[in-house]
Amino acid sequence: MNAAIVGIGATDFSKNSGRSELQLAAEAVSAALRDAGLTPSDVDGLVSFTMDTNAEIAVARELGIPELTFFSRVHYGGGAACATVQQAAMAVETGAAKVVVCYRAFNERSGHRFGQVQTAAAANIDNSWSYPMGLGTPAAMVAMFARRYMHEYGATSEDFGRIAVIDRKHAATNPHAWFHNRPITLDDHQASRWIAEPLRLLDCCQETDGGVALVVTSADRARDLPQKPAHVKAATQGSGPDQFTMTSYYRDDLTRLPEMGVVARGLWERSGIGPSDVDVAVLYDHFTPFVLVQLEELGFCGRGEAKDFVASGALELDGDLPLNPHGGQLGEAYLHGMNGIAEGVRQVRGTAVNQVADVEHVLVTAGTGVPTSGLVLGAS
Amino acid sequence: MTDKTAIEKEAARIAEQGESAPRLARDPVNLPMINNWLEVIGDRHPGYTEVAPPAMVQVWTMGGLHGQRAPDDPLGAMMKILDEAGFTSVVATNSDQTYHRYLRIGEHVSVTSSLEDVTGPKKTALGEGWFVTTRSTWYVGDEAVAEMRFRVLKFRPAEKQETKPEPQKAQAIRPSINRDTEYFWEGCRNQELRIQRCGGCGLLRHPPGPMCPECGATKPKYLVSDGRGVVYSYVVHHHPQVPGKQTPFVIALVELDEGVRMLGELDGEPSIGLPVEVVFTKVDDELTMPSWRPRADR
């Protein structure tokens, strides 16, 4: 694609920001534009995704962005993170806009907490087959998949725990991470309380107050801007057969994420690279079990083999597939995948705190269990 | 001496003292207080310009914000005894007043009180306690103008249950129901577990929808399931609290014998492959919820 991410910006990541969600959005967008060497008057497109309270026009007002020719909002919450970049890249390629900013900002810990039972969500007719039965939190919905996955492949709670340990290890050396200097052991994971068996507390990501923004423009224009561009090699969305939001329980196989399989096919096809060409993987980690399933869907290992792949040390910073060098959402912050895209950009630039050597390609995925999306970012 | 005997003995002693000394009202019967009272109560009767509403009688002799009971007040004395015996909570149960005549503005009333009856211990919904009845008489000079029999329950609060209170059915999350799904919930009300069956090709489908993804027909019908199946997967939910549920609880994804999967709470020890059957629980007239229990014949 002829598009690149040329600016990234974020607020601090906290549990109580002390300011409005709109202020967080405005601060993040402002920081991303400064990073890109652009001004609000250069912006003519804004993209966010559902479950964000900041309207595009409100963000434009705060920043003093005079005119917008493209604004879009992608569905399915965290599954839309990488799709915001796809929207921006398509807008840039088609000429719908020249500079598009993707943003996400919320007080998800001090304000509306996504980990609680969203009683209002039961008004959705699809949710009427789960919420009234008592299945009303994201953790519990993922746990239903995880239990079947364990049954089919002999995976254990410890296999899930290893993902949390890696994320927290990487977060421990990232000063921007909420869990900076706070690594955990597998014993800590095993000792953490049940949230929704088979998920423990440390299988579940944190809740964060904060904002992240990304600036997308054409590769041509990127050449004239100060930062090394992170080229959008491929960006795609994915929805699978008989798709539901978090509760696709009625398909043949509960051990898979077919929507991520759709994303994987699209990414490899359009970027021209394959799993072995990926230097860094930023995989969406709101709950540990789905990181294992993603490794399988994306083709890094065979079905049911993720537990062995993880145990082999492949996901360490010096392994074959360094995972979430920023600490992921379990370790750094839960900005619904947007902080992971920012990390992908830093890895391509060579400016990450836990920098992997000679990064050519970074794979980034978005929320799992829902219709999702993914990105391949490239250095050239 | 048991508590019961001791309390009865003290009650008899207080009752024998008879009427307490007259306690004079803070102010004479007056128009400003009458007007305030009428306003608060919402009584618009125009006649209270020279006499007070009879039901105000207790108002005249109220102790005020910082009032203290007189040492010979029988109710205060009886409360103290019951407090010491562990019956520390109180709730008023009856108040019967008799008015002999209207009180006129300017009259200054006084009140006396005596202990009429102490009965107990009785088991009540609030806890075990004693009913204490006093009789108060209001006077203008020597003339009795009103009387009141007043009863309280002085009780020992029931032990706080260790377990959490039963969740209110009303709190439970209710399904949204539309014309595509109404047949299912109607089935539950009739103790039937219904599975959508395409009127064109016969495809069984859950959750249901208006158009068959197999043949495109838009004439969904249903069959009534035997309500039997096996657990395909399950979750034991611990945190956070879920409206209408008591944690931990189990939600099972059940594969029915007819071939479709369905979610429901499972009352029992879960395992994959566990044979279960449907149970219907009526929430109210509109809503009956299906759930699962292990099969006896497994």
Side-chain angles (χ1 to χ4, degrees):
Chain A
M1 301 180 92
N2 178 28
I5 302 176
V6 295
I8 54 175
T11 64
D12 54 312
F13 302 137
S14 74
K15 302 300 177 193
N16 189 356
S17 72
R19 46 219 205 265
S20 71
E21 297 190 326
L22 183 56
Q23 184 174 340
L24 294 174
E27 288 180 17
V29 173
S30 181
L33 288 172
R34 274 198 307 279
D35 182 61
L38 294 168
T39 64
S41 57
D42 293 314
V43 178
D44 53 2
L46 284 172
V47 184
S48 188
F49 44 121
T50 48
M51 299 161 74
D52 192 301
T53 62
N54 304 298
E56 298 82 349
I57 53 172
V59 172
R61 283 199 307 267
E62 296 314 300
L63 271 293
I65 296 170
E67 294 178 347
L68 293 172
T69 59
F70 177 76
F71 30 94
S72 145
R73 180 161 291 228
V74 191
H75 273 290
Y76 308 116
C82 296
T84 62
V85 176
Q86 183 195 33
Q87 291 276 306
M90 290 194 299
V92 166
E93 288 205 1
T94 59
K98 293 184 176 64
V99 174
V100 181
V101 183
C102 310
Y103 65 90
R104 185 68 156 175
F106 43 49
N107 287 320
E108 199 205 9
R109 181 60 183 80
S110 66
H112 180 76
R113 299 181 64 181
F114 288 63
Q116 304 293 309
V117 180
Q118 311 294 324
T119 311
N124 177 311
I125 206 87
D126 280 355
N127 291 338
S128 291
W129 309 109
S130 51
Y131 281 64
M133 289 73 181
L135 195 74
T137 64
M141 290 169 182
V142 172
M144 192 67 79
F145 286 96
R147 171 65 66 190
R148 188 70 197 186
Y149 184 87
M150 294 165 92
H151 175 78
E152 298 260 351
Y153 294 126
T156 64
S157 169
E158 293 194 343
D159 293 321
F160 300 152
R162 288 190 180 89
I163 299 297
V165 172
I166 289 168
D167 269 350
R168 291 288 292 269
K169 181 180 174 181
H170 295 169
T173 53
N174 172 8
H176 303 293
W178 177 257
F179 288 112
H180 180 226
N181 280 335
R182 282 183 283 173
I184 57 166
T185 64
L186 199 52
D187 286 344
D188 293 334
H189 173 272
Q190 289 295 297
S192 68
R193 65 184 169 131
W194 292 121
I195 297 298
E197 284 180 64
L199 297 195
R200 300 177 181 279
L201 177 67
L202 291 177
D203 288 306
C204 306
C205 78
Q206 58 191 313
E207 294 169 305
T208 302
D209 285 10
V212 171
L214 313 162
V215 183
V216 177
T217 191
S218 69
D220 297 338
R221 182 149 186 200
R223 274 195 287 276
D224 302 328
L225 295 173
Q227 302 289 356
K228 178 180 175 181
H231 292 278
V232 181
K233 308 303 287 184
T236 181
Q237 289 183 284
S239 170
D242 210 10
Q243 181 77 53
F244 283 77
T245 300
M246 298 302 287
T247 55
S248 300
Y249 297 151
Y250 312 99
R251 300 162 166 169
D252 288 345
D253 191 350
L254 238 58
T255 65
R256 296 193 45 195
L257 288 168
E259 55 279 6
M260 190 57 80
V262 173
V263 167
R265 285 203 313 275
L267 291 180
W268 304 143
E269 204 176 290
R270 286 167 212 170
S271 67
I273 70 164
S276 61
D277 301 312
V278 173
D279 301 306
V280 174
V282 178
L283 301 187
Y284 202 92
D285 55 343
H286 53 356
F287 301 103
T288 57
F290 275 165
V291 176
L292 273 68
V293 183
Q294 285 184 83
L295 290 167
E296 296 169 10
E297 289 292 345
L298 292 159
F300 293 107
C301 58
R303 300 260 169 240
E305 293 172 5
K307 60 181 167 47
D308 307 312
F309 184 74
V310 174
S312 75
L315 305 182
E316 302 287 341
L317 286 176
D318 59 357
D320 286 344
L321 186 71
L323 174 78
N324 300 344
H326 59 316
Q329 307 194 90
L330 288 156
E332 189 189 63
Y334 182 44
L335 265 293
H336 291 185
M338 294 297 269
N339 53 317
I341 302 175
E343 172 66 6
V345 172
R346 285 188 296 265
Q347 289 289 339
V348 167
R349 289 180 182 179
T351 59
V353 285
N354 296 319
Q355 182 64 46
V356 174
D358 305 322
V359 173
E360 182 63 30
H361 293 111
V362 178
L363 169 73
V364 188
T365 60
T368 44
V370 293
T372 187
S373 56
L375 275 178
V376 174
L377 298 176
S380 54
Chain B
M1 204 158 55
T2 64
D3 272 1
K4 179 173 160 65
T5 326
I7 288 165
E8 283 170 347
K9 194 173 169 216
E10 287 296 315
R13 182 181 60 77
I14 294 165
E16 270 169 30
Q17 292 171 0
E19 279 192 303
S20 58
R23 184 164 58 78
L24 197 63
R26 186 163 61 185
D27 300 304
V29 174
N30 62 85
L31 194 59
M33 190 61 83
I34 291 170
N35 285 334
N36 289 336
W37 190 89
L38 289 171
E39 193 174 2
V40 169
I41 299 293
D43 185 343
R44 294 185 183 175
H45 193 283
Y48 299 117
T49 53
E50 289 173 14
V51 297
M56 270 189 84
V57 65
Q58 211 177 350
V59 170
W60 304 117
T61 51
M62 278 185 173
L65 281 182
H66 309 291
Q68 292 194 336
R69 289 182 186 280
D72 68 342
D73 175 68
L75 186 58
M78 198 63 226
M79 294 292 101
K80 189 157 176 273
I81 288 155
L82 288 167
D83 275 336
E84 284 162 4
F87 301 93
T88 52
S89 295
V90 67
V91 59
T93 59
N94 304 73
S95 176
D96 301 310
Q97 298 185 345
T98 307
Y99 315 112
H100 298 312
R101 69 165 173 83
Y102 285 104
L103 292 176
R104 288 181 288 274
I105 288 173
E107 286 184 319
H108 210 154
V109 298
S110 60
V111 64
T112 68
S113 184
S114 62
L115 184 64
E116 192 170 274
D117 186 44
V118 176
T119 314
K122 301 271 192 194
K123 288 200 189 322
T124 76
L126 293 170
E128 191 181 56
W130 293 74
F131 288 97
V132 178
T133 310
T134 54
R135 173 178 288 272
S136 298
T137 309
W138 282 268
Y139 295 91
V140 173
D142 293 333
E143 181 194 2
V145 291
E147 287 164 52
M148 174 175 73
R149 182 179 285 119
F150 185 65
R151 182 174 296 142
V152 299
L153 171 66
K154 190 77 175 132
F155 64 99
R156 179 184 284 135
E159 293 282 319
K160 283 268 189 302
Q161 296 293 316
E162 282 301 312
T163 52
K164 298 183 186 78
E166 276 292 308
Q168 298 292 308
K169 281 179 179 174
Q171 295 176 341
I173 297 176
R174 302 178 72 92
S176 285
I177 300 174
N178 68 10
R179 62 179 67 215
D180 297 333
T181 67
E182 167 58 26
Y183 79 96
F184 179 87
W185 300 105
E186 180 190 85
C188 290
R189 286 196 294 274
N190 293 314
Q191 312 276 301
E192 289 181 359
L193 193 66
R194 297 177 179 175
I195 301 172
Q196 188 181 64
R197 179 170 57 188
C198 175
C201 70
L203 179 80
L204 296 182
R205 186 182 183 205
H206 184 88
M211 178 180 283
C212 176
E214 203 65 40
C215 75
T218 52
K219 40 183 177 185
K221 308 205 179 310
Y222 65 82
L223 64 74
V224 177
S225 165
D226 287 344
R228 295 155 63 93
V230 297
V231 172
Y232 186 80
S233 191
Y234 64 92
V235 173
V236 186
H237 187 98
H238 294 262
H239 295 284
Q241 292 299 315
V242 177
K245 305 286 181 189
Q246 195 168 328
T247 55
F249 64 95
V250 179
I251 308 133
L253 178 65
V254 166
E255 193 151 274
L256 291 168
D257 290 352
E258 292 85 358
V260 300
R261 294 188 201 132
M262 202 178 283
L263 286 168
E265 193 171 349
L266 169 63
D267 184 12
E269 185 66 27
S271 63
I272 289 180
L274 178 75
V276 297
E277 63 190 0
V278 72
V279 187
F280 293 100
T281 306
K282 183 174 173 177
V283 177
D284 53 37
D285 286 347
E286 277 80 47
L287 181 63
T288 293
M289 288 298 298
S291 62
W292 315 111
R293 69 175 171 215
R295 279 208 309 257
D297 62 347
R298 66 186 188 273

